[in-house]
Amino acid sequence: MHETVNRCEEILAEWLRQAFQAAFGEVQDWSGIRVQPATDARFGDFQCNDAMQAAKTLRRPPRAVAEAVLAALPLPPMLTRAEVAGPGFINLTVAPEWLAEQVAVLSAAPRFGIPDAGQGRTVVIDYSSPNVAKPKHIGHIRSTVIGNALDRLHRALGYRVIADNHLGDWGTQFGLLIQGYRTFLTEAEREALTIEALERVYVQSYNRSKEDPAWLESCKSELVKLQQGDAENRAIWERFIAISRREFDRVYGRLDVAFDLTRGESYYNDMLPETIQVLQDKGLAVESEGALVVNLEDEGMPVCIVRKSDGGFNYAATDIATVRSRVAEFDPDRIIYVTDERQQLHFRQFFAVCAKLGYTTHLEPVWFGLMRLPEGTFSTRQGNVIKLESLLDEAERRALEIIKASNSEMPEDEQRELAAAIGIGAIKYTDLSHDPQTMIVFTWEKALALEGNSGPYLQYAYARVCSLLDKYAEQVPDRDPLTNALLLDEPVEKALALQLMRFPATVLRAAEVCKPSVLADYLFSLSQTYSSFYQRSPVLKADAAVRDSRIRLCAMVAPVLAEGLGLLGICTPRRI
Ligand code: ARG
């Protein structure tokens, strides 16, 4: 384990292991003894539940085991109380001085103790990955926001992250688009091609393909021409990509999202025949009704089609080729795919094919539920699409209104900058505070609420701590609050210190389970504890020693909030 991860729990568990050993000797290996935060602060700060298990081996009542353990060694100075409760829990209350020392170790560690868990190992994160020239609605934001948080979390933990935006730039939609582009647009529109025109063309062409077989055929033949390298279609395709990417980049800029690679599906096109050949050579892919498929009966799944009956390669073939290419180039430990829930079968299928090919890289789907507005879902073919960029505009507009009302004296450009930080933060936080595997009903009231579990609430909490720190700096100039002595005599001070101690383990856990919501929950509860600390314990008006100690706690809450929100991709303005 790392120095800073669950430091208190580790030290206490080590003492308990010795106590078990002293009480019962070598009858059992005690290295599995664990300590965890107390489920109820009234009974202590930490607890150990292992006496119950040990009682079975020792054939003694669990309470008697727990009591014998505590009787075996004198109470160490780090504890003020150790008690047996209920069926055999061991409850531990730590000494404020000892806790203060542990907090000091943490606050001196770089990035508040975030451990180097990755140790340079590589993770590829495939996220955002929108389809070119198809309209994007608010449901598409989740892959980008969740993926980017996972990206930041893994980097902070010392992984080498390859963030790859796997654009959908090579699908059947290009037949529809090219043919539609030629037919539905005027010359002037073609010349000054916009993303809106392109999206309109897609919808129109798609609808026509549903009722007009001849149209569908003509689109297909344009696609084949493109795939065979026809110069004119290729040039049109390149324009579509360029226009789409310009739009994506604008949104990524506003969301502060950056990729190491933007390799669309087209990048792997030349590798497809070889990939299929390998599958055939290994006897994995077989002909079935003209198509080439990999049988996944043993895995309990339908066959994975890797080449369609018309000879075209498909999405699965591309994804298998992509794994081969990523493994060869980056040798990753894990490849994480952040994609909506509707594609789960596709992922499970091609993961199974990769396993059959002998790939041991851990392939991990992080699927997420849709985000929608209360009035219903979005469909590109119904009129109620809320475009992604309008959502961002609306967020900033609403945030600006709130800022203007409360900060009328702030210069206009500062107000706008703040509005962007708060508006975009509110959208990201709404997304990230939910477990990815749930559906989100997005409402402005909740997203922009100043009270409750929202982005603005956390940003305000941070700004409030900063302003307190600033006032302290005026009162006590030239002193770094982090050098102040820490007294943790009040329960709420202790609670805050204990919560600060949990930061490194929380960051680690959020990355391990690929749930940024684990970190969001932590930050919210830290802000709540801070706010009850702040309400109950006057800081600047307290006696000097208490004041200095309390401001020191504040001086730790601030960087943890900033670091934590930063890992979620949310900015923390110092002044709001
Ligand atoms: N382009 C796909 C979509 O918009 C997502 C791609 C996910 N990544 C992958 N390697 N298949 O639904």
Side-chain angles (χ1 to χ4, degrees):
M1 242 318 140
H2 304 272
E3 260 276 273
T4 47
V5 174
N6 289 330
R7 191 181 159 80
C8 290
E9 287 88 334
E10 278 308 310
I11 296 172
L12 295 168
E14 195 42 48
W15 175 75
L16 272 179
R17 285 170 204 142
Q18 286 168 22
F20 270 91
Q21 167 90 16
F24 303 109
E26 305 281 352
V27 293
Q28 186 184 323
D29 172 15
W30 302 112
S31 60
I33 300 293
R34 294 274 175 274
V35 165
Q36 58 190 62
T39 44
D40 187 335
R42 280 175 304 170
F43 304 125
D45 304 317
F46 294 93
Q47 69 186 56
C48 169
N49 306 340
D50 294 325
M52 272 86 88
Q53 190 57 40
K56 291 186 194 145
T57 339
L58 296 165
R59 296 171 182 281
R60 291 227 224 156
R63 276 192 73 100
V65 169
E67 271 152 15
V69 168
L70 292 185
L73 291 181
L75 197 65
M78 67 183 165
L79 294 178
T80 55
R81 207 159 39 128
E83 281 174 348
V84 178
F89 298 113
I90 299 175
N91 290 331
L92 305 172
T93 305
V94 297
E97 306 74 34
W98 180 79
L99 183 57
E101 278 167 32
Q102 306 315 313
V103 174
V105 172
L106 199 66
S107 76
R111 302 193 81 169
F112 220 88
I114 297 176
D116 178 16
Q119 309 207 315
R121 281 174 300 167
T122 301
V123 185
V124 175
I125 310 183
D126 176 318
Y127 73 94
S128 195
S129 312
N131 294 326
V132 164
K134 283 195 195 172
K136 258 145 290 303
H137 59 66
I138 84 160
H140 282 116
I141 202 172
R142 295 206 76 188
S143 175
T144 310
V145 169
I146 296 170
N148 186 247
L150 295 177
D151 175 345
R152 290 169 190 264
L153 281 163
H154 281 88
R155 272 179 223 270
L157 286 161
Y159 286 91
R160 174 172 79 125
V161 175
I162 313 282
D164 189 1
N165 188 3
H166 190 75
L167 291 182
D169 65 354
W170 199 244
T172 43
Q173 81 255 37
F174 289 99
L176 295 169
L177 279 164
I178 292 174
Q179 186 66 343
Y181 165 85
R182 291 209 178 97
T183 317
F184 303 134
L185 297 183
T186 63
E187 203 180 317
E189 284 172 319
R190 282 201 296 270
E191 215 130 275
L193 189 61
T194 62
I195 188 76
E196 288 76 23
L198 218 53
E199 292 175 352
R200 219 173 47 235
V201 162
Y202 173 76
V203 174
Q204 210 174 336
S205 186
Y206 176 87
N207 288 344
R208 181 148 168 198
S209 74
K210 289 283 139 191
E211 50 210 36
D212 180 352
W215 177 259
L216 183 62
E217 277 318 303
S218 66
C219 292
K220 277 190 180 160
S221 79
E222 289 311 315
L223 180 69
V224 172
K225 270 165 69 187
L226 170 69
Q227 289 175 339
Q228 287 167 350
D230 174 83
E232 195 186 326
N233 280 8
R234 184 93 196 176
I236 297 175
W237 172 79
E238 274 167 9
R239 268 193 87 199
F240 293 172
I241 307 287
I243 288 169
S244 273
R245 283 195 60 170
R246 221 180 304 140
E247 190 208 305
F248 297 154
D249 286 344
R250 211 171 48 235
V251 173
Y252 294 142
R254 290 178 74 175
L255 292 174
D256 191 20
V257 165
F259 298 94
D260 299 292
L261 300 173
T262 300
R263 282 184 184 164
E265 293 171 14
S266 64
Y267 175 87
Y268 304 94
N269 190 44
D270 294 344
M271 306 174 197
L272 299 180
E274 193 200 305
T275 300
I276 300 304
Q277 193 58 53
V278 172
L279 285 169
Q280 282 181 304
D281 291 348
K282 295 205 170 192
L284 293 171
V286 293
E287 297 272 347
S288 165
E289 295 166 34
L292 200 62
V293 306
V294 179
N295 205 317
L296 297 176
E297 211 166 42
D298 290 347
E299 287 79 6
M301 284 184 275
V303 293
C304 178
I305 301 174
V306 291
R307 200 181 61 209
K308 297 180 287 181
S309 50
D310 66 8
F313 301 112
N314 63 358
Y315 192 39
T318 303
D319 263 319
I320 297 163
T322 305
V323 170
R324 296 183 74 225
S325 160
R326 285 173 178 162
V327 168
E329 188 173 348
F330 305 117
D331 187 25
D333 264 31
R334 287 159 94 188
I335 306 178
I336 295 172
Y337 298 83
V338 188
T339 327
D340 79 67
E341 61 188 351
R342 292 169 301 187
Q343 296 190 32
Q344 285 186 76
L345 179 61
H346 162 73
F347 281 96
R348 285 201 290 126
Q349 285 180 310
F350 89 77
F351 288 178
V353 176
C354 290
K356 284 183 191 287
L357 278 172
Y359 287 111
T360 52
T361 305
H362 192 61
L363 304 174
E364 204 169 322
V366 174
W367 58 269
F368 54 84
L370 295 179
M371 177 150 86
R372 61 175 186 82
L373 297 176
E375 44 272 32
T377 44
F378 311 89
S379 159
T380 48
R381 289 180 296 284
Q382 290 159 10
N384 64 346
V385 181
I386 305 284
K387 290 200 39 170
L388 186 46
E389 272 206 286
S390 351
L391 185 83
L392 304 186
D393 292 342
E394 177 80 1
E396 293 189 17
R397 192 186 63 70
R398 287 178 184 249
L400 188 61
E401 253 172 41
I402 298 174
I403 293 162
K404 282 199 153 86
S406 61
N407 267 337
S408 49
E409 75 302 342
M410 189 185 263
E412 172 94 20
D413 51 337
E414 260 180 62
Q415 286 182 335
R416 288 191 180 279
E417 210 175 296
L418 203 52
I422 293 178
I424 304 289
I427 291 180
K428 286 188 178 182
Y429 190 81
T430 301
D431 192 332
L432 297 171
S433 57
H434 289 79
D435 185 312
Q437 276 105 60
T438 54
M439 199 192 72
I440 300 180
V441 179
F442 182 92
T443 66
W444 289 111
E445 292 67 39
K446 260 209 222 145
L448 285 169
L450 299 182
E451 290 300 323
N453 194 2
S454 74
Y457 171 77
L458 289 175
Q459 287 171 321
Y460 270 105
Y462 174 74
R464 271 198 304 266
V465 191
C466 289
S467 107
L468 195 58
L469 288 166
D470 290 346
K471 284 189 195 131
Y472 178 80
E474 279 169 29
Q475 253 184 39
V476 188
D478 303 321
R479 171 110 64 88
D480 176 1
L482 287 176
T483 59
N484 293 350
L486 196 54
L487 318 164
L488 299 172
D489 296 323
E490 300 287 333
V492 71
E493 293 170 339
K494 208 171 173 194
L496 195 53
L498 286 167
Q499 211 153 18
L500 287 168
M501 291 301 298
R502 287 209 279 277
F503 178 66
T506 305
V507 171
L508 188 60
R509 174 97 190 128
E512 269 170 4
V513 298
C514 286
K515 289 185 196 294
S517 53
V518 168
L519 179 57
D521 288 346
Y522 168 84
L523 295 171
F524 178 53
S525 107
L526 177 68
S527 311
Q528 283 182 311
T529 310
Y530 174 75
S531 130
S532 52
F533 155 80
Y534 183 72
Q535 276 160 24
R536 266 178 250 171
S537 328
V539 178
L540 298 179
K541 293 202 175 82
D543 290 346
V546 174
R547 175 200 64 188
D548 291 352
S549 162
R550 288 186 180 155
I551 204 73
R552 168 142 187 212
L553 276 174
C554 299
M556 290 184 289
V557 171
V560 167
L561 280 178
E563 184 75 51
L565 287 169
L567 291 174
L568 299 179
I570 295 173
C571 354
T572 41
R574 270 189 69 89
R575 245 196 81 205
I576 292 194

